[in-house]
């Protein structure tokens, strides 16, 4: 019986250990900026991350700023006829030198790549432009005194590349439901 209080204290301290580790989550980070294309501009994953911060660290006052821009690239590439031929894709090179001083981030999340291939098969010259753009972005953000986390965009498959169901696919689907 004497060892029971000692055992309880030990167990409670072990349970509290992950909470202490949470105090070290993003040390020194207050302002977080998200850069990217329409995936970022849409805000879904940015809102999820902000909710996570609020739920897990309510005592910390994070400021999350989403400055994603639809159709933007970090490669500077654009296809013929983009936006009906009205203008080329936006290029991060044009705005980053204004965005970093205005937002003053401690941490930047960057999600580029979906538009950088301009919806064509992998090509070494396009990939080289993307790689150069990502290295440039990394250097600019770190020179501004912020940390950067590069995110990988989701994979893309054009609808024309997806197989169409053969005859009788609906009947097969109904039969598969009966098996469950």
């Amino acid at each position: 019986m004497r060892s029971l209080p000692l055992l309880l204290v030990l167990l409670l301290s072990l349970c509290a250990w992950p909470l202490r580790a949470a105090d070290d989550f993003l040390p020194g980070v207050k302002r977080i900026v998200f850069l990217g294309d329409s995936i970022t501009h849409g805000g879904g994953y940015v809102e999820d991350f902000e909710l996570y911060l609020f739920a897990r660290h309510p005592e910390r006052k994070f400021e999350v700023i989403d400055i994603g821009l639809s159709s933007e690239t970090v490669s500077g590439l654009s296809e013929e006829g983009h936006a009906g031929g009205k203008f080329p894709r936006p290029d991060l090179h044009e705005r980053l030198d204004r965005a970093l001083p205005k937002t003053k981030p401690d941490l930047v999340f960057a999600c580029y790549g979906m538009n950088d291939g301009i919806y064509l098969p992998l090509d070494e010259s396009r990939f080289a432009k993307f790689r150069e753009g990502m290295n440039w972005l990394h250097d600019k953000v770190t020179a501004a005194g912020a940390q950067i986390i590069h995110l990988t965009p989701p994979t893309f498959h054009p609808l024309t590349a997806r197989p169409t169901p053969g005859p009788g696919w609906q009947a097969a689907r109904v039969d598969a439901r009966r098996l469950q």
Side-chain angles (χ1 to χ4, degrees):
M1 272 324 252
R2 291 174 129 193
S3 61
L4 185 60
L6 182 59
L7 182 61
L8 286 173
V9 168
L10 178 63
L11 286 173
L12 286 173
S13 66
L14 286 174
C15 291
W17 181 74
L19 296 176
R20 277 186 299 222
D23 290 341
D24 294 336
F25 182 74
L26 299 177
V29 172
K30 291 187 169 103
R31 185 172 292 166
I32 302 168
V33 168
F34 283 81
L35 288 168
D37 53 29
S38 60
I39 297 166
T40 303
H41 180 248
Y45 80 91
V46 177
E47 289 173 358
D48 291 344
F49 182 74
E50 191 171 14
L51 180 60
Y52 170 82
L53 291 175
F54 179 75
R56 294 293 304 213
H57 306 283
E59 73 289 350
R60 301 264 313 265
K61 301 300 177 210
F62 291 102
E63 183 178 2
V64 177
I65 304 169
D66 181 352
I67 57 171
L69 181 61
S70 291
S71 206
E72 188 170 65
T73 72
V74 72
S75 65
L77 298 174
S78 186
E79 67 274 29
E80 280 289 319
H82 173 72
K86 295 177 187 163
F87 55 87
R89 287 184 180 276
D91 180 3
L92 181 64
H93 289 79
E94 191 279 321
R95 71 180 181 119
L96 188 63
D97 285 335
R98 291 188 317 275
L100 291 175
K102 286 183 179 180
T103 58
K104 297 178 178 61
D106 300 308
L107 176 63
V108 172
F109 283 90
C111 184
Y112 287 96
M114 183 61 73
N115 298 320
D116 291 280
I118 54 177
Y119 299 92
L120 294 170
L122 181 63
D123 171 85
E124 184 51 42
S125 64
R126 279 191 305 281
F127 186 63
K129 293 289 285 179
F130 173 69
R131 188 172 44 245
E132 289 168 15
M134 293 302 280
N135 288 330
W136 167 84
L137 171 58
H138 185 93
D139 292 346
K140 285 283 194 174
V141 169
T142 56
Q147 300 174 64
I148 184 167
I149 296 175
H150 295 276
L151 304 175
T152 303
T155 57
F156 170 77
H157 296 286
L159 290 175
T160 56
R162 295 180 186 159
T164 56
W169 70 273
Q170 288 176 322
R173 189 168 149 199
V174 169
D175 288 343
R177 287 185 182 157
R178 287 184 192 141
L179 296 174
Q180 294 176 347

